[in-house]
Amino acid sequence: MALSINDSSIKLAYKGPFYIDVLSGMAGHLRQMYKLKPITCNRLYKIFFELTQNVAKYSAEMCNLYQHYKYGGIGSFTVEENNNAIRISTTNVIKIEDAPILVKYCNEINSMSVEALREYRSLKRRPQPDPGDSGAYIGIIQIGIITKNKIEWVIEPLSERFSLFTITAKVDIE
């Protein structure tokens, strides 16, 4: 993540372990920034936690410095405001074999309406999910519902074993 500290469109950025207390503090700050726009604020808050929770749980790069934290995925996020919209992005390392699965998930989610996504989410939450289903998919479905926009993603190969996964959700300011 190469950001300019002079870029006024960047409202919040972080790179490091995604521990819950760090994320909670950042989410509180995000809420304060958009408190005068309650619909936007609520969407941002929910999307922020869905995206960052996926990094905390599923990043291939982990920090186990503190044993009392359940999850310690390493990654980065940015919150950027431009043209009456806010874009929240997370980036983390993934195993190369997970890339096609994530592409499939994102394509499926972008092809569905909000109503279809709600039905699909219910199906995926059933008591006996398919063996290949991971919790990350539910989070990405939820992001698709909340954002009311298409999600964007980029996968960049890093090595024979790992890639860099960036996912972005856009929230229109209301």
Side-chain angles (χ1 to χ4, degrees):
M1 166 172 72
L3 298 173
S4 167
I5 60 171
N6 296 321
D7 187 345
S8 64
S9 68
I10 303 295
K11 301 301 178 189
L12 195 60
Y14 174 79
K15 183 176 183 179
F18 277 41
Y19 293 131
I20 190 64
D21 56 347
V22 172
L23 298 175
S24 294
M26 299 279 192
H29 181 67
L30 190 61
R31 270 202 147 145
Q32 281 299 109
M33 288 177 5
Y34 293 98
K35 68 182 179 184
L36 298 178
K37 305 234 179 249
I39 293 170
T40 302
C41 182
N42 286 335
R43 282 193 187 135
L44 282 174
Y45 187 78
K46 290 175 185 176
I47 289 171
F48 177 82
F49 268 110
E50 290 294 344
L51 286 172
T52 57
Q53 184 178 53
N54 280 345
V55 173
K57 289 182 176 182
Y58 304 113
S59 179
E61 189 178 17
M62 292 289 198
C63 180
N64 297 315
L65 186 61
Y66 303 108
Q67 298 303 319
H68 61 279
Y69 287 106
K70 188 173 181 180
Y71 304 109
I74 295 174
S76 63
F77 74 79
T78 58
V79 178
E80 183 177 8
E81 184 178 332
N82 277 317
N83 302 323
N84 215 27
I86 301 157
R87 296 168 46 89
I88 302 177
S89 300
T90 57
T91 301
N92 62 282
V93 176
I94 60 170
K95 295 176 189 166
I96 199 105
E97 61 266 20
D98 292 336
I101 298 164
L102 288 166
V103 169
K104 178 181 175 261
Y105 289 171
C106 293
N107 282 332
E108 284 179 353
I109 290 162
N110 279 343
S111 72
M112 294 184 205
S113 67
V114 172
E115 296 77 28
L117 284 169
R118 285 191 175 112
E119 289 176 27
Y120 198 47
R121 178 186 59 195
S122 295
L123 178 68
K124 290 293 180 183
R125 283 186 171 161
R126 67 180 181 242
Q128 297 298 320
D130 295 332
D133 284 350
S134 74
Y137 196 24
I138 298 287
I140 297 172
I141 294 168
Q142 187 67 15
I143 292 163
I145 292 168
I146 297 167
T147 185
K148 300 189 188 254
N149 291 295
K150 302 292 183 197
I151 55 176
E152 301 168 25
W153 72 95
V154 175
I155 296 177
E156 302 171 57
L158 291 175
S159 69
E160 290 181 12
R161 295 180 48 215
F162 298 104
S163 292
L164 203 58
F165 176 61
T166 300
I167 185 168
T168 302
K170 183 177 104 175
V171 175
D172 297 319
I173 298 175
E174 295 183 35

